[in-house]
Amino acid sequence: MKKWLGAAIALGTALAVSACGSGSGGPASTPTTSQGAPGGGGDAASASPLASDGSGTVDPAAWAKWGLRPLLPAPAAPADRPIRLTKTGKVPVFSNVPVPASDKIVFITLDDGAEKDPRFVQLMQDLRIPVTMFLTEDIIKNDYGYFKPLQALGDSIQNHTVSHPPMNTIPLAAQKRQVCEDQSTLTTEYGTAPFLFRPPFGAGAYTTSLNQAVQACGPRAIVLWKETMQITGLQYQTADKKLRPGDIILAHFRGPSELKGETMVAMFVNLVKRIEEQGFTVARLDDYIQPPTG
């Protein structure tokens, strides 16, 4: 399993670079004292900044506990969501979200579910940084319950196949089994049908057969990414190595055996630091997508 996961990371990174497009970023900004800088005055609201998703206040001490400064709150999600999904027909493929250049936001996605570190759940409960999870049945079936506290925070669970094959290497019937069976399991275990799908390694994302398989099984979009989180830093698809508003970032549920002894918590903390260094904050991907209704 460890060898398979290591190979998956390497292959996934290579395919992600070739499969996805590019984007642009901006200079870092300095947090204000209202975010809990030492010596900052003000009332209780300024001493307790909003969670990055704007869902409520988070004590600055909670951020310090994890070695972080508070992220800026994300702007309010638009009432007219920029990605609107249809109930039928071809599903779109996207790796970023069209947002105004002034909205310095990115979206974090976490794949597969291999590492189940209780401290990561505590970190997320403390800081409420929004993520979207793409889970693989064979990898999570030993502990479906691990992901329920994360789901309770508003972090949605989406489709990432049953056994994580490169989808462009298997026939259409097998692709349908991979997507449909994961869709059924995740809907049963978590009470909500996924409306997004991510192909392992990004493989086959633009093929007609995969699009047909996804259409047949329920998800209404295929989601790729612009950057990939490694252990301490981001791997970019652009030469300038900058985030751009609306970028989707790929990270994984990974532990010490795949992170050269590092923990998932440390990897995620490093990711947040890399985002903050460029003056960005984190928004919830679901808030920018209008699922099919009715």
Side-chain angles (χ1 to χ4, degrees):
M1 182 65 164
K2 293 178 181 177
K3 292 181 179 179
W4 175 85
L5 286 170
I9 296 172
L11 179 56
T13 299
L15 286 169
V17 171
S18 63
C20 303
S22 57
S24 150
S29 62
T30 303
T32 64
T33 55
S34 67
Q35 291 178 272
D43 57 20
S46 65
S48 300
L50 287 173
S52 63
D53 63 356
S55 62
T57 57
V58 174
D59 189 335
W63 294 87
K65 167 185 171 181
W66 299 100
L68 290 167
R69 295 184 299 172
L71 284 170
L72 291 167
D80 186 14
R81 300 187 181 188
I83 295 179
R84 304 181 67 85
L85 305 183
T86 60
K87 293 176 67 174
T88 60
K90 186 176 181 180
V91 303
V93 182
F94 61 90
S95 55
N96 70 340
V97 176
V99 300
S102 59
D103 286 358
K104 300 291 289 294
I105 58 172
V106 293
F107 305 96
I108 297 175
T109 61
L110 294 169
D111 276 14
D112 64 50
E115 179 68 10
K116 302 171 183 68
D117 184 348
R119 292 187 69 246
F120 178 71
V121 175
Q122 185 61 61
L123 180 151
M124 300 301 282
Q125 290 173 331
D126 284 353
L127 304 185
R128 285 174 284 166
I129 299 170
V131 300
T132 301
M133 298 175 281
F134 290 84
L135 300 183
T136 300
E137 179 183 347
D138 281 357
I139 297 175
I140 68 169
K141 64 185 180 183
N142 64 337
D143 190 359
Y144 291 120
Y146 173 83
F147 305 94
K148 292 182 179 181
L150 299 173
Q151 183 189 31
L153 296 172
D155 297 334
S156 71
I157 291 172
Q158 307 294 345
N159 192 316
H160 196 43
T161 74
V162 171
S163 61
H164 210 272
M167 297 292 273
N168 60 348
T169 66
I170 59 178
L172 175 58
Q175 292 183 42
K176 287 182 179 179
R177 285 194 297 273
Q178 286 286 333
V179 183
C180 288
E181 290 181 17
D182 198 47
Q183 187 80 357
S184 177
T185 296
L186 296 178
T187 302
T188 298
E189 292 294 333
Y190 300 107
T192 303
F195 61 94
L196 304 174
F197 172 75
R198 172 168 283 161
F201 322 113
Y206 295 97
T207 63
T208 299
S209 61
L210 181 57
N211 206 286
Q212 291 174 346
V214 173
Q215 290 178 51
C217 298
R220 293 305 306 159
I222 295 172
V223 182
L224 296 176
W225 57 90
K226 288 293 188 179
E227 293 84 22
T228 306
M229 183 60 191
Q230 305 301 309
I231 301 173
T232 60
L234 287 162
Q235 184 168 45
Y236 298 84
Q237 297 174 23
T238 55
D240 62 2
K241 297 184 178 180
K242 290 183 178 179
L243 297 171
R244 286 160 167 79
D247 278 3
I248 296 171
I249 298 173
L250 166 64
H252 290 83
F253 286 91
R254 292 286 184 265
S257 61
E258 291 81 34
L259 298 178
K260 298 181 179 179
E262 199 52 271
T263 66
M264 182 170 179
V265 166
M267 179 272 291
F268 193 85
V269 166
N270 286 330
L271 170 57
V272 174
K273 289 178 179 179
R274 302 295 86 80
I275 291 169
E276 183 186 50
E277 286 167 359
Q278 295 191 43
F280 281 76
T281 191
V282 182
R284 191 179 305 281
L285 181 60
D286 298 38
D287 291 345
Y288 287 75
I289 301 172
Q290 180 61 58
T293 56

